[in-house]
Amino acid sequence: MRLIVFGGDERMLGVLQAAQQAGWETVHIAGEDDVPEQLEGADAVMLPWPRSFRDDRLVAAPGAKPMNRERVLSLIPPCRAAVAGGVEEDALPMVQRLVRPERDEAFLRKNAQLTAEGAVLEVLRRRRHALLESTAMITGFGRIGQEMAVRLCALGMFVIVCARSESQMHMAHGMGAHPVPLRQIASACAQADVVINTVPARVLNRSALEQLRRHTPIIELASAPYGLDLEEAVQMGLEVAVESGLPGRYAPLDAGKALFEALLRGMEIPSGRPEETQAHEAGKGENSHG
């Protein structure tokens, strides 16, 4: 099996490392200077995720010679599958299947776990106090909120979860957290030593922010428009750390491995070395005739 990887940050190094450990042949085109005179075919192609291009340029590591979108797409050979963040299928007619990690539950759960682990490190750094017997407030209880609650409860924190639904509040209670309806977020803020937001909507309004003590850090894990008005929070003298995209910064090699595993699932290839894959394919053939 052969994989071509274009551009990217350290996550792409994680992809390459995972592919090589699985016995794949790999080619890394970090920038224009890495394009071989003759680029052979491949079974799969990986472009940076979640965004392959920024301002029509390939997202690449510092120092790589820039490549524009048209140039990159012209180099992609016919292949079975590709991961390409933000690129639509009609731009990749040479690819049989466009794999979308954002639709892969196993990838999303792994990404949430890496995010939560990195966020715990950030909480420790920002708090400058032991977490034991202090209070954390988590807004939202999706994958990242759940993973945060598990870790913070295990560290001995009193964890308040502000959730929308009854089912989420029951789940939070079962994990050892204290569930509170989102409509009571202001009173929860008054108890918090640290706030972790996972909701990409303005759930932390001014009345809620006014309840926070001045040195209570807010760890923002959601994407824009975020869970609060960042400018307003700064004007109020609050400490806000925008930490979206943590896996690629905290554990890029593991994040890259997760991307490669998502590619394998998209291609319906079991993780393992080529001889294991061949045995799997042979087994599928036998089953189809049975």
Side-chain angles (χ1 to χ4, degrees):
M1 303 291 281
R2 191 166 190 265
L3 173 68
I4 300 175
V5 172
F6 286 88
D9 53 19
E10 283 190 85
R11 276 177 292 193
M12 293 298 99
L13 299 181
V15 170
L16 290 161
Q17 185 181 87
Q20 291 159 6
Q21 289 175 349
W24 285 47
E25 178 187 351
T26 62
V27 176
H28 187 201
I29 302 175
E32 187 64 49
D33 290 339
D34 301 307
V35 179
E37 291 185 9
Q38 185 172 356
L39 185 61
E40 298 178 7
D43 296 280
V45 168
M46 179 83 71
L47 275 71
W49 187 91
R51 178 187 296 180
S52 297
F53 300 97
R54 185 177 290 113
D55 297 328
D56 214 34
R57 295 288 183 91
L58 178 71
V59 174
K65 188 173 181 179
M67 298 179 70
N68 65 35
R69 176 188 172 98
E70 184 178 355
R71 169 66 168 155
V72 172
L73 296 181
S74 73
L75 290 171
I76 297 176
C79 58
R80 288 173 57 185
V83 172
V87 180
E88 297 302 322
E89 291 185 24
D90 58 6
L92 298 167
M94 72 295 287
V95 175
Q96 293 179 25
R97 178 180 300 182
L98 184 57
V99 177
R100 296 197 179 279
E102 64 271 21
R103 300 176 184 173
D104 180 332
E105 180 58 33
F107 172 80
L108 293 173
R109 181 58 65 176
K110 181 70 172 183
N111 203 58
Q113 292 167 347
L114 294 175
T115 297
E117 191 170 322
V120 169
L121 184 64
E122 188 61 25
V123 170
L124 282 163
R125 190 175 76 84
R126 295 274 175 177
R127 276 279 297 145
R128 297 183 290 276
H129 292 282
L131 303 187
L132 183 66
E133 298 180 354
S134 59
T135 299
M137 186 185 81
I138 300 171
T139 53
F141 207 59
R143 300 178 191 88
I144 295 174
Q146 293 163 22
E147 297 294 342
M148 285 299 308
V150 168
R151 285 158 178 77
L152 296 181
C153 285
L155 288 168
M157 296 193 80
F158 181 76
V159 178
I160 301 171
V161 171
C162 291
R164 292 185 184 278
S165 69
E166 288 289 336
S167 61
Q168 288 179 328
M169 288 192 285
H170 282 303
M171 186 186 300
H173 180 74
M175 290 181 178
H178 180 70
V180 170
L182 267 176
R183 64 179 179 274
Q184 297 178 17
I185 194 169
S187 60
C189 281
Q191 304 175 56
D193 296 308
V194 61
V195 173
I196 301 103
N197 178 64
T198 70
V199 182
R202 299 290 174 83
V203 292
L204 288 159
N205 55 30
R206 188 176 185 89
S207 62
L209 295 177
E210 286 174 343
Q211 297 301 313
L212 293 173
R213 292 185 288 274
R214 184 178 178 83
H215 297 294
T216 299
I218 303 169
I219 312 299
E220 176 58 81
L221 300 181
S223 55
Y226 309 116
L228 70 162
D229 184 322
L230 298 178
E231 184 176 346
E232 179 181 60
V234 171
Q235 289 174 351
M236 294 172 67
L238 298 173
E239 180 184 351
V240 183
V242 178
E243 297 294 342
S244 50
L246 262 178
R249 293 182 287 114
Y250 166 70
L253 297 182
D254 297 283
K257 180 182 178 183
L259 279 171
F260 179 68
E261 291 171 348
L263 173 66
L264 293 181
R265 286 190 293 272
M267 297 176 72
E268 298 181 350
I269 295 175
S271 58
R273 299 190 63 79
E275 57 268 24
E276 296 170 354
T277 300
Q278 291 170 7
H280 171 79
E281 294 297 330
K284 282 174 63 177
E286 291 170 4
N287 291 339
S288 65
H289 291 297

